[in-house]
Amino acid sequence: MVFYEKYMDIAPEIIKAFKENKPIIGFDSKILRDFNFPENLNKIYDIENRVRELNGVPAVMAVLNGRLKIGVSKDDMEVLSKMTELPVVSKKDIPYLILKKKSGVLDFDATLLVGILSGIKIFLTGYLTCENAMYKDIVEYRDKNIAIISCGIRSEEEMKVIVRDLEKYDIPIIGYQLDKIPLYDKNIGKDVDFKIEIPTELLNFLRIKWELDISGGVMIINEDIELNSQRENSWKEINLYNLLNNIRLGITLGKEIYRIR
């Protein structure tokens, strides 16, 4: 595990979890921008509380006053949640925000970058998205041994790009109890590479891959199909629900994933 202490602060809870091989679950801080105060604060606390209830350690990531925060404290979370102008930070923005001692929430590619630097191996997200026919997140994990748990892909057009790039870099797409990649608009997506039914087999897949030195991330798809067939909820709410739904699987994998070398 590498610490870049000059630029980042890792919460004591997370450092302790690394030493004790506890499951650490990384996720981005865009919820603070997606909802208004105090709803944004309550929703991010819901995620953190769920992780802790399952004996895991949450690692939300943000930038505050020019410091990268891995595991944002309650005091810092309140400060961020009340900011009226809080930019969404991509990895290209990080040096500037550190230079100018500014604050922001991290998008998913920046979250992966910062989380990987701090040693985190499990990340949760909602539906995968891309822009301008580019899936930029893959740059962060095509050579890094991490697992990303998603619930599918936002649209058919984005599926073409994302699946193309995953195949290009030999990133396996595993359906956890799913044959197909779910799409937000409910059209049937492409076949997953492998369907795995139980978490122990999923963990063993990761162990075999990485112990054989077949480097690179693994994309795990896990969607609550029944909930997502309903459209009463907004895009932001459904994404948030799926992140919450994926916590249990992330914790199960995280109990052993940090032992894999």
Side-chain angles (χ1 to χ4, degrees):
M1 183 167 52
V2 179
F3 291 93
Y4 294 82
E5 294 175 342
K6 186 175 180 181
Y7 304 111
M8 66 171 60
D9 301 317
I10 301 178
E13 179 186 27
I14 293 174
I15 294 173
K16 185 170 183 277
F18 276 122
K19 293 176 180 177
E20 296 176 355
N21 279 315
K22 292 184 69 174
I24 304 163
I25 308 298
F27 54 97
D28 65 58
S29 48
K30 282 180 65 180
I31 295 165
L32 294 173
R33 257 283 301 265
D34 288 344
F35 301 91
N36 295 324
F37 180 83
E39 187 181 13
N40 58 356
L41 191 61
N42 292 332
K43 287 186 181 299
I44 210 158
Y45 283 164
D46 285 345
I47 297 170
E48 292 191 319
N49 291 339
R50 183 79 63 89
V51 172
R52 291 191 178 102
E53 285 168 7
L54 295 170
N55 297 314
V57 177
V60 61
M61 284 164 254
V63 188
L64 180 62
N65 299 327
R67 297 291 298 175
L68 293 170
K69 300 287 184 176
I70 297 89
V72 182
S73 70
K74 284 201 169 186
D75 288 343
D76 288 346
M77 198 79 80
E78 287 208 26
V79 171
L80 286 164
S81 67
K82 293 176 182 177
M83 287 184 175
T84 54
E85 294 185 8
L86 196 60
V88 177
V89 178
S90 184
K91 64 180 183 179
K92 71 178 175 62
D93 306 313
I94 289 174
Y96 184 78
L97 266 69
I98 292 174
L99 175 69
K100 295 294 186 178
K101 294 182 170 51
K102 292 181 177 292
S103 304
V105 296
L106 302 186
D107 67 8
F108 196 55
D109 78 316
T111 297
L112 292 172
L113 169 69
V114 173
I116 288 168
L117 288 178
S118 62
I120 294 171
K121 289 188 175 183
I122 294 272
F123 295 84
L124 303 185
T125 187
Y127 289 94
L128 303 176
T129 62
C130 65
E131 296 178 2
N132 302 319
M134 292 179 58
Y135 178 46
K136 64 178 184 176
D137 296 346
I138 198 171
V139 174
E140 301 309 323
Y141 65 88
R142 63 191 181 193
D143 301 315
K144 304 295 183 182
N145 294 348
I146 67 168
I148 297 169
I149 305 177
S150 167
C151 59
I153 298 174
R154 182 167 56 182
S155 69
E156 188 171 3
E157 201 61 36
E158 288 167 303
M159 180 187 66
K160 294 175 184 176
V161 174
I162 292 170
V163 171
R164 176 201 69 196
D165 288 350
L166 292 172
E167 290 176 346
K168 178 180 177 181
Y169 292 105
D170 279 335
I171 305 297
I173 306 170
I174 297 179
Y176 178 62
Q177 302 176 352
L178 295 171
D179 296 298
K180 303 278 186 181
I181 302 171
L183 297 178
Y184 175 71
D185 61 13
K186 304 321 297 174
N187 293 328
I188 299 298
K190 293 186 176 182
D191 291 342
V192 298
D193 292 321
F194 313 108
K195 179 181 180 181
I196 295 181
E197 297 279 358
I198 56 177
T200 51
E201 285 194 352
L202 192 48
L203 181 65
N204 284 333
F205 178 96
L206 298 175
R207 179 176 287 111
I208 292 166
K209 181 180 188 298
W210 295 337
E211 287 183 350
L212 284 173
D213 222 10
I214 305 173
S215 61
V218 174
M219 180 61 66
I220 300 166
I221 309 292
N222 178 39
E223 185 198 43
D224 186 329
I225 294 173
E226 183 176 347
L227 174 104
N228 292 350
S229 65
Q230 305 167 15
R231 282 291 165 261
E232 294 89 359
N233 295 315
S234 68
W235 159 258
K236 293 175 183 178
E237 289 283 358
I238 288 178
N239 255 338
L240 176 59
Y241 177 88
N242 273 290
L243 192 148
L244 285 163
N245 181 56
N246 286 336
I247 287 173
R248 185 175 295 276
L249 179 59
I251 294 289
T252 302
L253 298 179
K255 288 177 181 177
E256 294 295 330
I257 197 171
Y258 290 96
R259 301 178 191 272
I260 303 173
R261 302 303 175 194

